[in-house]
């Protein structure tokens, strides 16, 4: 591998936010993304929205996957999106949400700028394909 | 800030394409991304590091422009076996530096899969003490399976953090293999973490880590076996230089430190590796550790070692870049002459041999160079 050869790798932040201790899904997805050749940064449990923003900005991730099973997505996701905007990171970060999200809420989240919502039963293949196809183009 | 968010994408795009056609633009034209980085914009710093990691077209110009703004940060390398507590300790170190009013950059390197290139970068999980504090800039990097390239990328990323104005930069990596050791060696001060109570540490010390450590940290010092590990380390250091290394316990330093750098023997005899005990998850011993790091920095300044270190580092950097560039040139030349497979076939058929081919490929370049020299 030579020093000037471009090595574009998709970087993802898998984030658990708020008071939600169920991280099996996040672990499984982290691993699937890793095996798909992505670089995965896992946030750990019980993160505050500002922590997620800090991580997404500093790590310059292409994909931010937020896993929420607590039902607090209406509050927490907008806070994260606002934080991304504050640091000019919103436009070129693909935001995904995974978890138990009612249909009405899904619409609302998408209006706010979430690219896709993956509920129970979403297949790994479809998620990885979605990420590959929609990873933001950067100069 | 707001108007940037619209201008950002477009502006960068034009600038990237302008980058490749740089020669006409003179060196005076500062890249807008660099301008933003120097202006303290976190997103610009993050993006510059991404470009460095990806080796995107034009990244070399970026790093070139950063260079003149570097040289102000102190760089600390942290290594140790997996699970020895590096990330936790780095988190506490960063928090303590912040308490002292200094800004911190952290680069944490984790291995990547040799099969898929994928990686799970988990060091961030331990960064609990610096939540929401943007003055701690934490960046995870994966090894991306590149030979030699990783240390170049790390060096360049350190430059970006340095130019951004970080006072302290910590490079954290698993101490398993030459690659990692090379990276850590680029730091001003090298810390090696040794967890208590495993014979494996002796193996690690054998593998050359003993020579690179300026400071040994026996982390998890509250665990059984910590004293023995300290004892073993001390004995091992005794063998290496005949002196008695100083030990700082996590209950307080043996001697009063006043930042003067312990001139009693450091100046004349060089630096004796110091052993520090810490309990990172409770933050015990971290203050003492930072004081010892400070002493090492003072030693570097007073002894002239810092200058020597910098010279050696730049020399190595230049050598690496030249080597890589020449390598690339030759790879292109081989492709031009019909590709490596054609050469291999001729060697297999006993038409020629590898040495002759190397001469054939390099010869014209040699001629070119010697012609220009005259």
């Amino acid at each position: 591998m030579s020093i000037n050869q471009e090595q574009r790798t998709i970087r993802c932040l898998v984030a658990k936010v708020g008071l939600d201790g169920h991280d099996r899904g996040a672990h499984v997805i982290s691993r699937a993304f890793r095996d798909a050749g992505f670089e995965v940064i896992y946030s750990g449990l019980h993160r505050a929205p500002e922590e997620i923003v800090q991580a997404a900005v500093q790590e310059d991730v292409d994909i931010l996957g937020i896993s929420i099973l607590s039902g607090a997505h209406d509050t927490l996701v907008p806070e994260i999106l606002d934080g991304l905007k504050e640091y000019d990171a919103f436009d070129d970060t693909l935001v995904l949400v995974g978890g138990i999200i009612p249909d009405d809420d899904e619409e609302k989240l998408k209006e706010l700028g979430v690219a896709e919502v993956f509920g129970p039963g979403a297949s790994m293949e479809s998620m990885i394909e979605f990420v590959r196809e929609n990873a933001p183009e950067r100069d | 800030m707001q108007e940037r968010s619209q201008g950002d994408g477009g502006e960068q795009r034009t600038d990237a394409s302008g980058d490749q056609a740089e020669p006409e633009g003179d060196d005076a034209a500062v890249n807008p991304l660099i301008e933003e980085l120097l202006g303290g914009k976190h997103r610009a710093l993050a993006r510059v590091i991404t470009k460095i990691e990806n080796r995107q077209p034009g990244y070399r110009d970026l790093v070139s422009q950063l260079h003149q703004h570097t040289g102000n940060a102190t760089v600390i390398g942290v290594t140790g076996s997996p699970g020895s507590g590096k990330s936790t300790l780095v988190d506490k170190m960063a928090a303590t530096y912040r308490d002292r009013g200094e800004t911190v950059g952290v680069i944490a390197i984790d291995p990547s899969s040799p099969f898929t290139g994928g990686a799970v970068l988990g060091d961030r999980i331990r960064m609990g003490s610096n939540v929401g504090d943007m003055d701690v800039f934490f960046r995870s990097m994966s090894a991306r399976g590149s030979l030699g390239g990783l240390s170049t990328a790390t060096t360049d990323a350190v430059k970006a953090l340095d130019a951004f104005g970080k006072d302290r930069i910590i490079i954290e990596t698993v101490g398993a293999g030459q690659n990692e050791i090379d990276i850590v060696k680029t730091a001003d001060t090298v810390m090696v973490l040794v967890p208590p109570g495993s014979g494996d540490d002796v193996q690690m010390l054998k593998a050359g880590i003993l020579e690179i450590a300026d400071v040994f940290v026996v982390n998890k010092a509250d665990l059984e076996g910590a004293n023995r590990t300290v004892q073993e380390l001390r004995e091992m250091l005794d063998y290496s230089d005949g002196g008695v290394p100083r030990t700082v316990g996590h209950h307080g330093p043996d001697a009063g430190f006043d930042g003067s750098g312990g001139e009693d023997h450091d100046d004349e005899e060089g630096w004796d590796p110091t052993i520090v005990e810490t309990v990172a998850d409770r933050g015990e011993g971290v203050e003492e550790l930072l004081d010892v790091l400070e002493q090492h920095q003072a030693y570097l300044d007073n002894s002239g070692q810092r200058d020597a270190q910098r010279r050696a580092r730049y020399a190595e950097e230049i050598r690496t870049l030249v080597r890589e560039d020449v390598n690339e040139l030759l790879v292109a030349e081989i492709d031009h002459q019909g590709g490596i497979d054609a050469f291999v076939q001729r060697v297999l058929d006993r038409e020629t041999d590898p040495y002759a081919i190397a001469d054939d490929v390099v010869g014209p370049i040699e001629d070119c160079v010697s012609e220009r020299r005259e």
Side-chain angles (χ1 to χ4, degrees):
Chain A
M1 217 35 94
S2 95
I3 224 161
N4 297 315
Q5 193 175 331
E6 188 171 349
Q7 304 179 358
R8 174 90 157 87
T9 303
I10 295 177
R11 283 168 72 87
C12 311
L13 173 63
V14 174
K16 287 296 299 182
V17 65
L19 299 173
D20 166 9
H22 302 272
D23 57 355
R24 178 67 59 84
H27 286 180
V28 171
I29 283 163
S30 296
R31 195 162 163 180
F33 278 5
R34 182 198 72 186
D35 291 343
F38 305 162
E39 280 178 12
V40 183
I41 295 136
Y42 177 54
S43 72
L45 278 174
H46 306 309
R47 299 296 142 162
E50 56 174 347
E51 267 175 278
I52 304 301
V53 170
Q54 185 183 15
V57 170
Q58 295 185 346
E59 302 287 357
D60 195 17
V61 288
D62 305 277
I63 317 292
L64 167 56
I66 307 167
S67 161
I68 297 196
L69 296 160
S70 66
H73 46 267
D74 279 345
T75 323
L76 297 171
V77 174
E79 276 184 44
I80 292 173
L81 296 178
D82 288 345
L84 291 178
K85 283 174 192 156
E86 190 186 328
Y87 288 100
D88 283 358
F90 177 72
D91 290 336
D92 51 12
T93 306
L94 186 75
V95 181
L96 309 177
V97 172
I100 317 269
I101 314 288
D103 291 348
D104 291 351
D105 292 354
E106 181 175 333
E107 283 310 309
K108 266 189 263 170
L109 290 178
K110 282 183 175 169
E111 270 166 38
L112 288 172
V114 172
E116 191 55 88
V117 174
F118 295 95
S123 78
M124 285 302 156
E125 291 75 31
S126 66
M127 289 182 59
I128 288 166
E129 204 182 307
F130 185 87
V131 166
R132 285 226 171 92
E133 278 172 12
N134 295 286
E137 281 295 320
R138 294 164 164 185
D139 44 79
Chain B
M1 207 107 149
Q2 285 310 346
E3 67 193 57
R4 271 263 167 259
S5 69
Q6 279 118 25
D8 228 35
E11 216 167 334
Q12 276 175 19
R13 211 150 292 152
T14 48
D15 120 72
S17 50
D19 245 12
Q20 286 150 308
E22 185 67 15
E24 51 177 331
D26 256 5
D27 299 77
V30 177
N31 189 300
L33 195 58
I34 296 295
E35 234 167 78
E36 286 182 6
L37 181 150
L38 296 174
K41 189 174 163 185
H42 292 92
R43 191 63 175 167
L45 173 58
R47 185 55 51 85
V48 166
I49 296 178
T50 303
K51 282 172 181 285
I52 288 168
E53 269 198 293
N54 289 344
R55 289 152 192 199
Q56 267 165 31
Y59 93 94
R60 292 174 74 121
D61 292 328
L62 291 179
V63 181
S64 301
Q65 290 183 15
L66 287 173
H67 182 76
Q68 56 175 308
H69 301 281
T70 60
N72 302 313
T74 51
V75 184
I76 300 155
V78 181
T79 187
S81 51
S84 55
K86 294 180 295 296
S87 303
T88 309
L89 184 60
V90 166
D91 176 47
K92 291 295 193 296
M93 286 169 67
T96 311
Y97 277 132
R98 293 292 298 132
D99 288 345
R100 297 181 178 188
E102 293 174 309
T103 57
V104 183
V106 180
I107 295 173
I109 300 157
D110 268 340
S112 62
S113 158
F115 304 109
T116 63
V120 173
L121 310 172
D123 293 321
R124 211 177 172 101
I125 298 178
R126 311 279 173 236
M127 291 306 287
S129 306
N130 300 288
V131 173
D133 180 1
M134 286 301 263
D135 283 328
V136 176
F137 191 99
F138 187 101
R139 181 64 177 241
S140 315
M141 280 171 73
S142 89
R144 295 200 185 174
S146 52
L147 289 168
L150 178 59
S151 54
T152 307
T154 312
T155 312
D156 292 345
V158 166
K159 282 186 183 177
L161 288 167
D162 190 349
F164 187 80
K166 294 298 182 197
D167 301 314
R168 308 282 171 172
I169 297 168
I170 304 173
I171 306 170
E172 179 202 329
T173 179
V174 171
Q178 196 59 45
N179 237 350
E180 279 78 6
I181 291 177
D182 283 347
I183 293 159
V184 166
K185 273 199 299 199
T186 64
D188 302 329
T189 304
V190 175
M191 259 168 65
V192 175
L193 266 72
V194 186
S198 64
D200 288 357
D201 306 334
V202 177
Q203 304 298 335
M204 185 176 76
L205 296 171
K206 278 181 193 164
I209 289 193
L210 182 65
E211 297 98 85
I212 66 164
D214 299 307
V215 180
F216 285 98
V217 180
V218 178
N219 191 32
K220 309 188 183 183
D222 53 341
L223 291 189
E224 207 174 324
N227 288 339
R228 195 164 148 232
T229 303
V230 171
Q231 196 56 41
E232 281 173 358
L233 273 173
R234 194 177 294 157
E235 277 166 18
M236 210 162 294
L237 293 168
D238 280 352
Y239 289 132
S240 63
D241 61 17
V244 181
R246 295 160 305 155
T247 309
V248 180
H250 65 279
H251 300 299
D254 294 351
F257 292 126
D258 51 10
S260 60
E263 62 258 82
D264 40 342
H265 59 290
D266 284 350
D267 284 338
E268 287 106 65
E269 297 178 25
W271 175 261
D272 296 324
T274 307
I275 304 167
V276 185
E277 292 175 60
T278 59
V279 184
D281 59 353
R282 295 204 298 262
E284 284 172 30
V286 175
E287 290 277 354
E288 288 86 349
L289 171 61
L290 295 195
D291 289 340
V292 169
L293 295 178
E294 219 51 45
Q295 285 173 42
H296 184 254
Q297 294 290 334
Y299 157 76
L300 289 177
D301 285 329
N302 297 335
S303 63
Q305 272 299 313
R306 189 184 296 278
D307 185 55
Q309 216 179 35
R310 285 207 169 131
R311 282 170 189 278
R313 201 178 300 152
Y314 285 135
E316 190 52 40
E317 209 182 320
I318 293 167
R319 277 193 208 106
T320 305
L321 287 175
V322 168
R323 196 165 49 228
E324 293 287 337
D325 284 357
V326 169
N327 188 29
E328 196 159 301
L329 192 72
L330 291 171
V331 168
E333 182 56 24
I334 287 171
D335 284 345
H336 183 72
Q337 293 193 18
I340 193 83
D341 290 338
F343 286 125
V344 169
Q345 192 58 49
R346 285 174 56 205
V347 171
L348 269 176
D349 296 344
R350 299 290 182 275
E351 278 176 33
T352 181
D353 66 289
Y355 279 103
I357 289 175
D359 284 343
D360 286 350
V361 173
V362 180
I365 295 169
E366 243 172 328
D367 293 345
C368 234
V369 172
S370 55
E371 229 169 78
R372 272 192 59 182
R373 221 180 273 158
E374 280 151 19

